[in-house]
Amino acid sequence: MNKHMATFIQDNLDEILVRWQEMMKDDSDEKFFQIMSQDVINKTSREFAELMISNLFEGENNYENRLNEFTSKVVRFGWSISFVMKAINHFAQVVYDMLEQNKTITEQNMKEYVMVFAEWINPMRDGIVETYAKTWERTVQLQKIALQELSASLIPVFDKISVMPLVGTIDTERAKLIMENLLDGVVKHRAEVVLLDITGVPVVDTMVAHHIIQAADAVRLVGAKCMLVGIRPEIAQTIVTLGINLKDFTTTSTLQRGVEQALAWTNRKIVEVEED
């Protein structure tokens, strides 16, 4: 019966996909069908259909390989897990309705076909959820590593003056990376003044402040001064409300003011030169 159903799907795949796409467009809030070209939609839909059929035809190993490949692709497209579940349910519904319309499913064999559909769909749901979770976790981890690498480097802007722009949430793991890069950068660039720019840090709580204070103390131990720049009004209010002690810090609201102060500490300043 499984092979008979798989053959039916293959023979009527074009009509099934048309009906399935219509159901997905009507029922889903996802942007995939709105922003992707029709060629991409058709190609991805056909791959999805082949995945749906593959566990009826193929062995377990081939099906798992196809499942992994497809799940990786839909994660890149931004399909949510609820969107994937809707896709599975609607595909099964279209197939069931068409089998019922051509009298393949009758009142006499309905219970048997319901069991066949359950054995077909339920393992697929479980497999996709598990594979999707692993793929998404791996994707998020790679994005996290990329963010860490991009947002924890010390950049020399003037002789003896360097800036470290911080972006995103600072947790214990990132704080360790910041500390390592900060100290290595101070030695490498022979920095005398380091500006920690927190303009891109959305929230500064007690834990984040603790990590920043630790980083500043470490900078002082290697013979450089540390300044905290990019303190927005809402961040300043949070720091005061939480009672975080930053009295040992020189702080400024903008990177520009911080650079001016750093130049002053190194006996320099920016002046305008009039042209003759």
Side-chain angles (χ1 to χ4, degrees), residues 39-107:
D39 288 342
V40 173
I41 291 173
N42 290 338
K43 183 179 179 180
T44 308
S45 300
R46 195 163 291 275
E47 288 182 18
F48 176 76
E50 290 173 356
L51 175 67
M52 294 291 292
I53 303 171
S54 62
N55 69 334
L56 295 174
F57 266 134
E58 299 176 358
E60 185 174 343
N61 290 335
N62 290 335
Y63 169 68
E64 287 184 358
N65 291 335
R66 190 188 292 269
L67 180 65
N68 289 331
E69 291 175 4
F70 180 81
T71 305
S72 298
K73 177 172 289 189
V74 297
V75 166
R76 291 196 301 272
F77 281 145
W79 286 22
S80 67
I81 191 66
S82 61
F83 183 82
V84 178
M85 292 299 103
K86 285 180 182 179
I88 294 173
N89 292 339
H90 288 335
F91 192 91
Q93 184 65 52
V94 170
V95 173
Y96 188 92
D97 290 344
M98 290 181 64
L99 286 170
E100 197 172 34
Q101 288 170 7
N102 72 0
K103 308 301 182 182
T104 299
I105 297 179
T106 64
E107 291 184 2

Coordinates of all heavy atoms in Angstrom, one line a residue, residues 39-107:
D39 N 10.3 30.4 -9.2 CA 11.3 29.3 -9.5 C 11.8 28.6 -8.3 O 11.9 27.4 -8.2 CB 12.4 29.8 -10.4 CG 12.0 30.1 -11.8 OD1 10.9 29.6 -12.2 OD2 12.7 30.8 -12.5
V40 N 12.2 29.4 -7.3 CA 12.8 28.9 -6.0 C 11.7 28.2 -5.3 O 11.9 27.1 -4.7 CB 13.4 30.0 -5.2 CG1 13.7 29.5 -3.8 CG2 14.6 30.7 -5.9
I41 N 10.5 28.8 -5.3 CA 9.3 28.1 -4.6 C 9.0 26.7 -5.2 O 8.9 25.7 -4.5 CB 8.1 29.0 -4.6 CG1 8.3 30.3 -3.8 CG2 6.9 28.2 -4.2 CD1 7.2 31.3 -3.9
N42 N 9.0 26.7 -6.5 CA 8.7 25.4 -7.2 C 9.8 24.4 -7.0 O 9.5 23.2 -6.7 CB 8.6 25.7 -8.7 CG 7.3 26.4 -9.1 OD1 6.3 26.5 -8.3 ND2 7.3 27.1 -10.2
K43 N 11.1 24.8 -7.0 CA 12.2 23.9 -6.8 C 12.2 23.3 -5.4 O 12.3 22.1 -5.2 CB 13.5 24.6 -7.1 CG 14.7 23.6 -7.0 CD 16.0 24.4 -7.3 CE 17.2 23.4 -7.1 NZ 18.5 24.1 -7.5
T44 N 12.0 24.2 -4.4 CA 12.0 23.8 -3.0 C 10.8 23.0 -2.7 O 10.8 22.0 -2.0 CB 12.0 25.0 -2.1 OG1 13.1 25.9 -2.4 CG2 12.2 24.6 -0.6
S45 N 9.6 23.3 -3.3 CA 8.4 22.5 -3.1 C 8.6 21.1 -3.6 O 8.1 20.1 -3.0 CB 7.2 23.2 -3.8 OG 7.0 24.5 -3.3
R46 N 9.2 21.0 -4.8 CA 9.4 19.7 -5.4 C 10.4 18.8 -4.5 O 10.2 17.6 -4.3 CB 10.0 19.8 -6.8 CG 9.9 18.5 -7.6 CD 10.1 18.8 -9.1 NE 8.9 19.5 -9.6 CZ 7.8 19.0 -10.1 NH1 7.7 17.6 -10.0 NH2 6.8 19.7 -10.5
E47 N 11.4 19.5 -4.0 CA 12.4 18.8 -3.1 C 11.6 18.3 -1.8 O 11.9 17.2 -1.3 CB 13.5 19.7 -2.7 CG 14.5 20.0 -3.8 CD 15.7 20.8 -3.3 OE1 15.9 21.0 -2.1 OE2 16.4 21.4 -4.2
F48 N 10.7 19.2 -1.3 CA 9.9 18.8 -0.1 C 9.1 17.6 -0.5 O 9.0 16.6 0.3 CB 9.1 20.0 0.3 CG 8.1 19.6 1.4 CD1 8.6 19.6 2.7 CD2 6.8 19.4 1.2 CE1 7.8 19.2 3.8 CE2 5.9 19.1 2.3 CZ 6.4 19.0 3.6
A49 N 8.4 17.6 -1.7 CA 7.6 16.5 -2.1 C 8.4 15.2 -2.2 O 8.0 14.1 -1.8 CB 6.9 16.8 -3.4
E50 N 9.6 15.3 -2.8 CA 10.5 14.1 -2.9 C 10.9 13.6 -1.5 O 11.0 12.4 -1.3 CB 11.7 14.5 -3.7 CG 11.4 14.8 -5.2 CD 12.7 15.3 -5.9 OE1 13.7 15.5 -5.2 OE2 12.6 15.5 -7.1
L51 N 11.1 14.5 -0.6 CA 11.4 14.1 0.8 C 10.2 13.3 1.4 O 10.3 12.3 2.1 CB 11.7 15.3 1.7 CG 11.9 15.0 3.2 CD1 13.2 14.2 3.4 CD2 12.0 16.3 3.9
M52 N 9.0 13.8 1.1 CA 7.7 13.2 1.6 C 7.6 11.8 1.1 O 7.1 10.9 1.8 CB 6.5 14.1 1.3 CG 6.5 15.4 2.0 SD 6.2 15.3 3.8 CE 4.5 14.7 3.9
I53 N 8.0 11.6 -0.2 CA 7.8 10.3 -0.8 C 8.9 9.3 -0.4 O 8.7 8.1 -0.4 CB 7.8 10.5 -2.3 CG1 6.7 11.4 -2.8 CG2 7.6 9.1 -3.0 CD1 6.7 11.8 -4.2
S54 N 10.1 9.9 -0.2 CA 11.3 9.1 0.0 C 11.2 8.0 1.1 O 11.7 6.9 1.0 CB 12.5 10.0 0.2 OG 12.4 10.7 1.4
N55 N 10.5 8.4 2.2 CA 10.4 7.4 3.3 C 9.4 6.3 3.0 O 9.2 5.4 3.7 CB 10.1 8.1 4.6 CG 8.7 8.6 4.7 OD1 8.1 9.0 3.7 ND2 8.2 8.7 5.9
L56 N 8.7 6.4 1.9 CA 7.8 5.4 1.4 C 8.5 4.4 0.5 O 8.2 3.2 0.5 CB 6.6 6.0 0.7 CG 5.6 6.8 1.5 CD1 4.6 7.4 0.5 CD2 4.9 6.0 2.6
F57 N 9.5 4.9 -0.2 CA 10.2 4.2 -1.2 C 11.6 3.7 -0.7 O 11.9 2.5 -0.9 CB 10.5 5.0 -2.5 CG 9.4 4.8 -3.5 CD1 8.9 6.0 -4.2 CD2 9.0 3.6 -3.9 CE1 7.9 5.8 -5.1 CE2 8.0 3.4 -4.9 CZ 7.5 4.6 -5.5
E58 N 12.4 4.6 -0.1 CA 13.8 4.3 0.1 C 14.0 3.7 1.5 O 13.2 3.7 2.4 CB 14.6 5.7 0.0 CG 14.4 6.3 -1.4 CD 15.1 7.7 -1.4 OE1 15.7 8.1 -0.4 OE2 15.1 8.3 -2.5
G59 N 15.3 3.2 1.6 CA 15.7 2.7 2.9 C 16.0 3.8 3.9 O 16.0 5.0 3.6
E60 N 16.2 3.4 5.1 CA 16.3 4.4 6.2 C 17.5 5.3 6.0 O 17.5 6.5 6.2 CB 16.5 3.6 7.6 CG 16.5 4.6 8.7 CD 16.5 3.8 10.1 OE1 16.1 2.6 10.0 OE2 16.8 4.4 11.1
N61 N 18.7 4.8 5.6 CA 19.9 5.6 5.4 C 19.7 6.6 4.4 O 20.1 7.8 4.6 CB 21.1 4.7 5.1 CG 21.5 3.8 6.2 OD1 21.2 4.2 7.4 ND2 22.1 2.7 6.0
N62 N 19.2 6.3 3.2 CA 18.9 7.2 2.1 C 18.0 8.3 2.6 O 18.1 9.5 2.2 CB 18.4 6.5 0.9 CG 19.5 5.7 0.2 OD1 20.6 5.9 0.4 ND2 19.0 4.7 -0.6
Y63 N 16.9 7.9 3.3 CA 15.9 8.9 3.7 C 16.6 9.9 4.7 O 16.3 11.1 4.7 CB 14.7 8.1 4.4 CG 13.8 9.1 5.1 CD1 13.0 10.0 4.4 CD2 13.7 9.1 6.5 CE1 12.2 10.9 5.1 CE2 12.9 9.9 7.2 CZ 12.1 10.8 6.5 OH 11.3 11.7 7.2
E64 N 17.4 9.4 5.6 CA 18.0 10.2 6.6 C 19.0 11.2 6.0 O 19.0 12.4 6.3 CB 18.8 9.4 7.7 CG 17.9 8.7 8.7 CD 18.6 8.0 9.7 OE1 19.9 8.0 9.7 OE2 18.0 7.4 10.6
N65 N 19.7 10.8 4.9 CA 20.6 11.7 4.2 C 19.8 12.8 3.5 O 20.1 14.0 3.6 CB 21.4 10.9 3.2 CG 22.4 10.0 3.8 OD1 22.9 10.3 4.9 ND2 22.8 9.0 3.1
R66 N 18.7 12.4 2.9 CA 17.8 13.4 2.2 C 17.2 14.4 3.2 O 17.1 15.6 3.0 CB 16.7 12.7 1.4 CG 16.0 13.6 0.5 CD 14.8 12.9 -0.1 NE 15.2 11.8 -1.0 CZ 15.3 12.0 -2.3 NH1 15.2 13.2 -2.9 NH2 15.7 11.0 -3.1
L67 N 16.8 13.8 4.4 CA 16.2 14.6 5.4 C 17.2 15.7 5.9 O 16.8 16.8 6.1 CB 15.8 13.7 6.6 CG 15.1 14.4 7.8 CD1 13.8 15.0 7.4 CD2 14.8 13.4 8.9
N68 N 18.4 15.2 6.2 CA 19.5 16.2 6.7 C 19.7 17.3 5.6 O 19.8 18.5 6.0 CB 20.8 15.4 6.9 CG 20.7 14.5 8.2 OD1 19.9 14.8 9.1 ND2 21.4 13.5 8.2
E69 N 19.8 16.9 4.4 CA 20.1 17.9 3.3 C 19.0 18.9 3.2 O 19.2 20.1 3.1 CB 20.3 17.2 2.0 CG 21.6 16.4 1.9 CD 21.7 15.6 0.6 OE1 20.8 15.8 -0.3 OE2 22.7 14.9 0.4
F70 N 17.7 18.4 3.2 CA 16.6 19.3 3.1 C 16.4 20.2 4.3 O 16.2 21.4 4.1 CB 15.3 18.5 2.8 CG 14.1 19.3 2.7 CD1 13.8 19.9 1.4 CD2 13.2 19.6 3.7 CE1 12.7 20.7 1.3 CE2 12.1 20.4 3.6 CZ 11.8 21.0 2.3
T71 N 16.6 19.6 5.5 CA 16.4 20.4 6.7 C 17.5 21.6 6.7 O 17.2 22.7 7.1 CB 16.6 19.5 7.9 OG1 15.7 18.5 7.9 CG2 16.3 20.3 9.2
S72 N 18.7 21.3 6.3 CA 19.7 22.3 6.3 C 19.3 23.4 5.3 O 19.5 24.6 5.6 CB 21.1 21.7 5.8 OG 21.5 20.8 6.8
K73 N 18.7 23.1 4.2 CA 18.3 24.1 3.2 C 17.2 25.0 3.8 O 17.2 26.2 3.7 CB 17.9 23.4 2.0 CG 17.4 24.4 0.9 CD 17.1 23.7 -0.4 CE 18.4 23.3 -1.1 NZ 18.2 22.8 -2.5
V74 N 16.1 24.3 4.4 CA 15.0 25.1 4.9 C 15.4 26.0 6.1 O 14.8 27.1 6.3 CB 13.8 24.3 5.2 CG1 13.3 23.6 3.9 CG2 14.1 23.3 6.3
V75 N 16.4 25.6 6.8 CA 16.9 26.5 7.9 C 17.5 27.7 7.3 O 17.3 28.8 7.8 CB 17.9 25.7 8.8 CG1 18.6 26.7 9.7 CG2 17.2 24.7 9.7
R76 N 18.3 27.5 6.2 CA 18.9 28.7 5.6 C 17.8 29.6 5.0 O 17.9 30.8 4.9 CB 19.8 28.3 4.5 CG 21.1 27.6 5.0 CD 22.2 27.6 3.9 NE 21.7 26.8 2.7 CZ 21.9 25.5 2.6 NH1 22.4 24.8 3.5 NH2 21.5 24.9 1.5
F77 N 16.7 29.0 4.5 CA 15.6 29.8 4.0 C 14.8 30.5 5.1 O 14.0 31.4 4.8 CB 14.6 28.9 3.2 CG 15.1 28.6 1.8 CD1 14.8 27.4 1.2 CD2 15.8 29.6 1.1 CE1 15.2 27.1 -0.1 CE2 16.2 29.3 -0.2 CZ 15.9 28.1 -0.8
G78 N 15.0 30.1 6.3 CA 14.3 30.7 7.5 C 13.0 30.1 7.8 O 12.2 30.7 8.5
W79 N 12.7 28.8 7.3 CA 11.5 28.1 7.7 C 11.5 27.9 9.2 O 12.4 27.3 9.7 CB 11.4 26.8 6.9 CG 11.0 26.9 5.5 CD1 11.2 28.0 4.7 CD2 10.5 25.9 4.6 NE1 10.8 27.7 3.4 CE2 10.4 26.5 3.3 CE3 10.0 24.6 4.8 CZ2 9.8 25.7 2.3 CZ3 9.5 23.9 3.8 CH2 9.4 24.4 2.5
S80 N 10.4 28.2 9.8 CA 10.3 27.9 11.2 C 9.8 26.5 11.4 O 9.3 25.9 10.4 CB 9.3 28.8 11.9 OG 8.0 28.6 11.4
I81 N 9.9 25.9 12.6 CA 9.4 24.5 12.8 C 7.9 24.4 12.6 O 7.4 23.4 12.1 CB 9.9 24.0 14.2 CG1 9.7 22.5 14.2 CG2 9.2 24.7 15.3 CD1 10.5 21.7 13.3
S82 N 7.2 25.5 13.0 CA 5.7 25.4 12.8 C 5.4 25.4 11.3 O 4.4 24.8 10.9 CB 5.1 26.6 13.5 OG 5.6 27.8 13.0
F83 N 6.2 26.2 10.5 CA 6.0 26.2 9.1 C 6.2 24.8 8.5 O 5.4 24.4 7.6 CB 6.9 27.3 8.5 CG 6.8 27.4 7.0 CD1 5.8 28.3 6.5 CD2 7.6 26.8 6.1 CE1 5.6 28.5 5.1 CE2 7.5 27.0 4.7 CZ 6.5 27.8 4.2
V84 N 7.2 24.2 8.9 CA 7.5 22.8 8.4 C 6.4 21.8 8.8 O 6.0 21.0 8.0 CB 8.9 22.3 9.0 CG1 9.1 20.9 8.5 CG2 10.0 23.2 8.5
M85 N 5.9 22.0 10.0 CA 4.8 21.1 10.4 C 3.5 21.3 9.6 O 2.8 20.4 9.2 CB 4.5 21.3 11.9 CG 5.6 20.8 12.9 SD 6.0 19.0 12.8 CE 7.5 19.1 11.8
K86 N 3.3 22.6 9.3 CA 2.1 22.9 8.5 C 2.3 22.3 7.1 O 1.4 21.8 6.5 CB 2.0 24.4 8.3 CG 1.4 25.1 9.6 CD 1.2 26.6 9.3 CE 0.7 27.3 10.6 NZ 0.6 28.8 10.3
A87 N 3.6 22.4 6.6 CA 3.9 21.9 5.2 C 3.6 20.4 5.2 O 3.0 19.9 4.2 CB 5.3 22.2 4.9
I88 N 4.0 19.7 6.2 CA 3.8 18.2 6.3 C 2.3 17.9 6.3 O 1.7 17.1 5.6 CB 4.5 17.6 7.5 CG1 6.0 17.7 7.3 CG2 4.1 16.1 7.6 CD1 6.8 17.3 8.5
N89 N 1.6 18.6 7.2 CA 0.1 18.3 7.4 C -0.7 18.7 6.1 O -1.5 17.9 5.7 CB -0.4 19.2 8.6 CG 0.2 18.7 9.9 OD1 0.6 17.6 10.0 ND2 0.1 19.6 10.9
H90 N -0.3 19.8 5.5 CA -1.1 20.2 4.3 C -0.8 19.2 3.1 O -1.7 18.9 2.3 CB -0.7 21.6 3.9 CG -1.3 22.6 4.8 ND1 -2.4 22.4 5.6 CD2 -0.9 23.9 5.1 CE1 -2.7 23.5 6.3 NE2 -1.8 24.4 6.0
F91 N 0.5 18.8 3.0 CA 0.8 17.8 2.0 C 0.0 16.5 2.2 O -0.5 16.0 1.2 CB 2.3 17.5 2.0 CG 2.8 16.8 0.8 CD1 3.3 17.5 -0.3 CD2 2.8 15.4 0.7 CE1 3.7 16.9 -1.5 CE2 3.3 14.8 -0.4 CZ 3.7 15.5 -1.5
A92 N 0.0 16.0 3.4 CA -0.7 14.8 3.7 C -2.2 15.0 3.4 O -2.9 14.1 2.9 CB -0.5 14.4 5.1
Q93 N -2.8 16.2 3.8 CA -4.2 16.4 3.5 C -4.5 16.5 2.1 O -5.6 15.9 1.6 CB -4.5 17.8 4.2 CG -6.0 18.1 4.1 CD -6.9 17.2 4.9 OE1 -6.6 17.0 6.1 NE2 -7.9 16.6 4.3
V94 N -3.7 17.1 1.2 CA -3.9 17.1 -0.2 C -3.9 15.7 -0.8 O -4.8 15.3 -1.6 CB -2.8 18.0 -0.9 CG1 -2.9 17.8 -2.4 CG2 -3.0 19.5 -0.5
V95 N -2.9 14.9 -0.4 CA -2.8 13.5 -0.9 C -4.1 12.7 -0.5 O -4.7 12.0 -1.3 CB -1.6 12.8 -0.4 CG1 -1.5 11.4 -0.8 CG2 -0.3 13.5 -1.0
Y96 N -4.5 12.9 0.8 CA -5.6 12.1 1.3 C -6.9 12.5 0.5 O -7.7 11.7 0.1 CB -5.8 12.4 2.8 CG -6.9 11.5 3.4 CD1 -6.5 10.3 4.0 CD2 -8.2 11.9 3.4 CE1 -7.5 9.5 4.6 CE2 -9.2 11.1 4.0 CZ -8.8 9.9 4.6 OH -9.8 9.1 5.1
D97 N -7.1 13.8 0.3 CA -8.3 14.3 -0.4 C -8.3 13.8 -1.8 O -9.4 13.4 -2.3 CB -8.3 15.8 -0.4 CG -8.6 16.4 1.0 OD1 -9.0 15.7 1.9 OD2 -8.3 17.6 1.2
M98 N -7.2 13.8 -2.5 CA -7.1 13.3 -3.9 C -7.4 11.8 -4.0 O -8.0 11.3 -4.9 CB -5.8 13.7 -4.5 CG -5.7 15.2 -4.8 SD -4.1 15.7 -5.6 CE -4.3 14.9 -7.2
L99 N -6.8 11.1 -3.0 CA -7.1 9.6 -3.0 C -8.6 9.3 -2.7 O -9.1 8.4 -3.2 CB -6.2 9.0 -1.9 CG -4.7 8.8 -2.2 CD1 -4.0 8.4 -1.0 CD2 -4.5 7.8 -3.4
E100 N -9.2 10.2 -1.9 CA -10.6 10.0 -1.6 C -11.4 10.4 -2.8 O -12.4 9.8 -3.1 CB -11.0 10.9 -0.4 CG -12.3 10.5 0.2 CD -12.5 11.3 1.5 OE1 -12.1 12.5 1.6 OE2 -13.1 10.7 2.4
Q101 N -11.0 11.4 -3.6 CA -11.8 11.9 -4.7 C -11.8 10.9 -5.9 O -12.8 10.7 -6.6 CB -11.2 13.2 -5.3 CG -11.5 14.4 -4.4 CD -10.7 15.6 -4.7 OE1 -10.0 15.7 -5.8 NE2 -10.8 16.7 -3.9
N102 N -10.6 10.2 -6.0 CA -10.6 9.1 -7.1 C -11.0 7.8 -6.6 O -10.8 6.8 -7.3 CB -9.2 9.1 -7.8 CG -8.2 8.5 -6.9 OD1 -8.4 8.0 -5.8 ND2 -7.0 8.4 -7.4
K103 N -11.6 7.7 -5.4 CA -12.2 6.5 -4.9 C -11.2 5.5 -4.5 O -11.6 4.3 -4.2 CB -13.2 5.9 -5.9 CG -14.3 6.8 -6.4 CD -15.1 7.4 -5.4 CE -16.2 8.3 -6.0 NZ -17.1 8.9 -4.9
T104 N -9.9 5.8 -4.3 CA -9.0 4.9 -3.8 C -9.2 4.7 -2.3 O -9.1 3.5 -1.8 CB -7.5 5.4 -4.0 OG1 -7.3 5.6 -5.4 CG2 -6.5 4.5 -3.4
I105 N -9.6 5.7 -1.6 CA -10.0 5.6 -0.2 C -11.5 5.6 -0.2 O -12.2 6.5 -0.7 CB -9.5 6.8 0.6 CG1 -7.9 6.8 0.6 CG2 -10.0 6.7 2.0 CD1 -7.3 8.0 1.4
T106 N -12.0 4.5 0.4 CA -13.5 4.3 0.5 C -13.8 4.1 2.0 O -13.0 4.1 2.8 CB -13.9 3.1 -0.3 OG1 -13.3 2.0 0.2 CG2 -13.5 3.3 -1.8
E107 N -15.1 4.0 2.2 CA -15.6 3.8 3.6 C -15.1 2.5 4.1 O -14.8 2.3 5.3 CB -17.1 3.8 3.7 CG -17.7 5.2 3.4 CD -19.2 5.2 3.6 OE1 -19.8 4.1 3.9 OE2 -19.8 6.2 3.4

